[in-house]
Amino acid sequence: MNTRPMSNPFSDRRPWQWLAVLVFLGVLIWLLGPVLTPFVISALLAWLGGPLVRKIESTGRSRTAAVLLVFTLMSLGLILGVLLLIPLIESQVSKFIDWLPRFGQWLTGTAVPWAEDRFKIDLAGYVDPSQLIELFKQHWKQAGGIAASMMGEISKSGMALVNLLVNLALIPVVTFFFMRDGPEMMARARELLPRPIEPTVVKLAHESDQMLGGFIRGQLTVMIALGVIYGVGLTAVGVDLGILIGLVAGLVAFVPYLGAIVGLGAAVIATLVQHGDLLHLALVLGVFGLGQLLESFWLTPWLVGDKIGLHPVAVIFAVMAGGQLFGFLGVLLALPIAAVAVVLGRYVYAQYTQSELYGADDESGVIVAGRDPVGGTSVPNETGTEVPPSKEP
């Protein structure tokens, strides 16, 4: 068995060579962004389905049969989700627009007088719900107009329409081949790595995959589960906008407690406007209390655990920075790149703390005031005179 230690790729000129490679790849991604988008989507879908493929393959079925089964399940799930969600979201948004005048009446007739009487301040002159509602409707129409104009431009431009259709058709085809031939592609890529750094790169790639898998697979499942719990629960207790509120709360649930705060605030307002009684308010609080209990004691420990390794603030920054730099492609690549960056940062930190620059091999940097940092026994100082151990606890 070869016990040769891993080569340190940071010990010579190779860091600058790797930096040049990374810069070249970044520029290439930026230039080829529109072309790479369907391939990145396909790679992410294949990566998400990879564990299930391997589990089915371990039962004795062939790789192709396992991929066909998982690919079919993913396709049916996606189609079913689109067919169910689009009409549901459209219905909820229509209800929300019709609900806005009721919100304005509740705001001026109930909320503002209560706040003025409670806190002895004048708010009526500063709150004009009609302007808020009109502003929202204008932005909503503007967003719809932008989408309609974009689709109109695409339909007018034959080449743009062809590119869109080709990209949509490419995603399932490329996803299937990535799922089927992924291990062979990775093996060939591994063979191309320089031999001295191949063990280190493989180790870091494995850690990145584990971290990213723990975040995306686990947190995505938690988000879907919370969205279903909140949406079904709020609808069951009589909140007309329960599905929409649950969907929004589930989408922002990747930041701890943000989904519950946003969803609870919206649900309380919707309940007060629609019902205005303590019974329905208590039922709404019960729904979110149950959701938080399930998330804290079952969903997150079971599905995510301590595998995330990415702080929620880092996730938000990565997604926003990726979108700013590379558009939609950057949003897709944000989390994988963030996971790799965290793993590389840990590796660089470990190498630094073991380097001569840090002073890991310098005893004078470890021993302070004649005290052995491990056992507390007396050690010689710089002049060779033995110094007794410190009496401090």
Side-chain angles (χ1 to χ4, degrees):
M1 186 175 183
N2 186 10
T3 59
R4 179 172 57 89
M6 290 185 181
S7 174
N8 181 7
F10 300 97
S11 60
D12 52 21
R13 295 179 302 171
R14 278 176 291 187
W16 305 109
Q17 298 171 359
W18 283 108
L19 180 61
V21 171
L22 291 176
V23 171
F24 172 76
L25 290 177
V27 174
L28 192 64
I29 291 173
W30 181 69
L31 293 175
L32 298 178
V35 179
L36 293 177
T37 299
F39 292 91
V40 173
I41 295 175
S42 300
L44 290 175
L45 290 175
W47 176 77
L48 287 174
L52 185 56
V53 171
R54 291 190 292 270
K55 185 173 292 186
I56 296 175
E57 193 178 8
S58 65
T59 62
R61 292 178 173 85
S62 66
R63 177 81 183 182
T64 302
V67 168
L68 281 173
L69 181 58
V70 174
F71 182 80
T72 302
L73 291 176
M74 292 178 65
S75 300
L76 290 177
L78 182 61
I79 294 172
L80 183 63
V82 170
L83 292 178
L84 291 177
L85 283 179
I86 289 181
L88 194 60
I89 293 174
E90 184 180 2
S91 173
Q92 287 283 290
V93 170
S94 299
K95 285 184 179 180
F96 176 68
I97 294 176
D98 296 336
W99 174 84
L100 285 175
R102 297 173 58 186
F103 168 72
Q105 295 176 2
W106 172 82
L107 187 64
T108 56
T110 303
V112 171
W114 177 85
E116 289 180 337
D117 181 67
R118 178 81 175 183
F119 301 105
K120 308 302 180 184
I121 56 176
D122 183 18
L123 294 176
Y126 301 96
V127 178
D128 187 357
S130 62
Q131 292 185 358
L132 296 176
I133 295 172
E134 186 63 28
L135 183 64
F136 173 82
K137 289 184 176 180
Q138 289 178 359
H139 283 287
W140 182 262
K141 293 178 180 179
Q142 183 180 3
I146 292 174
S149 64
M150 289 177 61
M151 295 304 297
E153 291 296 326
I154 291 176
S155 62
K156 290 178 183 178
S157 174
M159 185 58 66
L161 181 60
V162 169
N163 288 336
L164 177 62
L165 295 177
V166 169
N167 287 338
L168 291 177
L170 272 177
I171 291 176
V173 176
V174 177
T175 300
F176 175 81
F177 285 113
F178 276 160
M179 292 176 69
R180 191 190 68 176
D181 303 329
E184 184 179 351
M185 293 178 181
M186 295 303 297
R188 292 183 178 179
R190 182 172 179 175
E191 291 176 357
L192 294 175
L193 292 173
R195 295 299 90 189
I197 66 167
E198 185 263 348
T200 302
V201 173
V202 171
K203 175 178 177 294
L204 296 178
H206 178 71
E207 292 180 4
S208 301
D209 177 73
Q210 293 296 315
M211 175 183 294
L212 193 61
F215 179 82
I216 291 185
R217 295 189 187 100
Q219 197 65 29
L220 185 61
T221 308
V222 171
M223 291 165 60
I224 295 174
L226 287 177
V228 172
I229 292 171
Y230 293 147
V232 173
L234 292 175
T235 303
V237 299
V239 180
D240 290 340
L241 300 176
I243 299 296
L244 184 62
I245 295 173
L247 179 63
V248 173
L251 286 176
V252 298
F254 70 94
V255 180
Y257 305 109
L258 181 61
I261 293 173
V262 172
L264 180 59
V268 166
I269 294 175
T271 302
L272 292 176
V273 172
Q274 182 180 346
H275 299 285
D277 57 63
L278 294 178
L279 174 61
H280 286 87
L281 187 60
L283 292 175
V284 167
L285 294 176
V287 169
F288 279 90
L290 176 62
Q292 284 299 292
L293 286 175
L294 291 176
E295 179 190 10
S296 301
F297 294 100
W298 182 52
L299 292 174
T300 299
W302 177 45
L303 296 171
V304 181
D306 57 354
K307 297 178 293 186
I308 294 180
L310 290 173
H311 194 277
V313 175
V315 174
I316 297 173
F317 175 79
V319 173
M320 294 181 65
Q324 179 67 28
L325 294 175
F326 299 104
F328 181 66
L329 178 64
V331 174
L332 295 176
L333 293 174
L335 290 181
I337 292 176
V340 173
V342 170
V343 172
L344 290 178
R346 291 175 179 173
Y347 176 77
V348 172
Y349 174 79
Q351 294 293 321
Y352 167 67
T353 54
Q354 297 173 9
S355 65
E356 295 181 0
L357 177 63
Y358 182 73
D361 297 330
D362 185 3
E363 293 185 356
S364 62
V366 177
I367 299 171
V368 180
R371 187 180 187 181
D372 185 343
V374 177
T377 57
S378 61
V379 294
N381 60 13
E382 295 180 355
T383 61
T385 305
E386 190 174 88
V387 179
S390 173
K391 300 299 184 180
E392 297 176 359

